[in-house]
Amino acid sequence: KQEVTQIPAALSVPEGENLVLNCSFTDSAIYNLQWFRQDPGKGLTSLLLIQSSQREQTSGRLNASLDKSSGRSTLYIAASQPGDSATYLCAVTALNTGNQFYFGTGTSLTVIP
Amino acid sequence: KAGVTQTPRYLIKTRGQQVTLSCSPISGHRSVSWYQQTPGQGLQFLFEYFSETQRNKGNFPGRFSGRQFSNSRSEMNVSTLELGDSALYLCASSYRDINHEQYFGPGTRLTVT
């Protein structure tokens, strides 16, 4: 069964710092990996989707990489801002379970002004 | 283009009652998936529907059921509510049944007393 782990569970950084969030998964047979952010009590906002054949995706200050063979992904956030404070979740879909996401437990990020 | 909508947004029910939640996907999307989110268990997959057919089901008791209509709108039903069913219920929609970006709604917060 696919298991997804995110480290660290919580992170606090001063505004302006660059940071990296980590995601690892146990089974490399994935279709894709998607990064989300979740604000308290709200739904999930899609940040980046990486197909299994891709190595990275970029959107603004965000860059996500994927190393399928080692079962790892990183989300890089440049020049962090207080508005980036949220929980960040990574999720993978597997080859035999269609659109079902296997979620990590998330990293709670606080950016201090 | 309108996003995924879920109704109602908040719901309070009593143990033993039943509840129906609704999810309207993004126009043109035919896949709808449901998730339960709790502080202790994180995000857990309930089921996925594509073109009115249940394609995949998570490890939840039979009290949890769903369906999808011809316009792709989906409903989720929970019968004989238990205190442990209190959670944020999220739905996600996607254009395809596999390997395509998924978008989440704002969720329905269910409280069982």
Side-chain angles (χ1 to χ4, degrees), chain A residues 31-32 34 36 38 41-49 51-52 89 93 96-104, chain B residues 9 31 33 35 37 43 45 48 56-57 88 90 92 94 96-107 109:
Chain A
Y31 266 128
N32 58 47
Q34 205 164 338
F36 297 91
Q38 184 175 32
K42 303 292 178 66
L44 277 62
T45 300
S46 178
L47 297 173
L48 289 164
L49 167 72
Q51 307 282 5
S52 62
L89 295 149
T93 55
N96 60 346
T97 51
N99 276 335
Q100 177 180 347
F101 272 132
Y102 296 87
F103 277 96
Chain B
R9 294 291 312 281
S31 167
S33 300
Y35 292 83
Q37 186 177 32
L43 279 148
F45 173 76
E48 181 203 355
N56 199 4
K57 189 178 191 306
L88 181 65
L90 295 161
S94 181
R96 290 180 57 192
D97 56 341
I98 57 170
N99 205 22
H100 212 264
E101 191 163 5
Q102 298 186 54
Y103 299 89
F104 279 81
R109 171 72 65 184

Side-chain angles (χ1 to χ4, degrees), chain A:
Chain A
K1 182 193 166 190
Q2 179 72 270
E3 292 187 3
V4 181
T5 304
Q6 291 186 246
I7 295 173
L11 184 61
S12 184
V13 300
E15 182 177 1
E17 193 163 296
N18 302 326
L19 58 102
V20 174
L21 308 181
N22 297 292
C23 172
S24 61
F25 46 95
T26 54
D27 188 345
S28 63
I30 64 169
Y31 266 128
N32 58 47
L33 184 147
Q34 205 164 338
W35 282 93
F36 297 91
R37 70 172 278 169
Q38 184 175 32
D39 294 285
K42 303 292 178 66
L44 277 62
T45 300
S46 178
L47 297 173
L48 289 164
L49 167 72
I50 308 178
Q51 307 282 5
S52 62
S53 59
Q54 298 174 320
R55 295 298 299 268
E56 66 177 329
Q57 282 287 338
T58 299
S59 176
R61 294 182 295 109
L62 305 179
N63 176 276
S65 67
L66 173 64
D67 183 343
K68 202 172 72 160
S69 61
S70 67
R72 293 182 183 182
S73 176
T74 61
L75 179 66
Y76 175 84
I77 303 177
S80 58
Q81 304 170 357
D84 294 331
S85 297
T87 296
Y88 289 80
L89 295 149
C90 71
V92 299
T93 55
L95 294 183
N96 60 346
T97 51
N99 276 335
Q100 177 180 347
F101 272 132
Y102 296 87
F103 277 96
T105 48
T107 294
S108 177
L109 173 66
T110 302
V111 180
I112 304 165

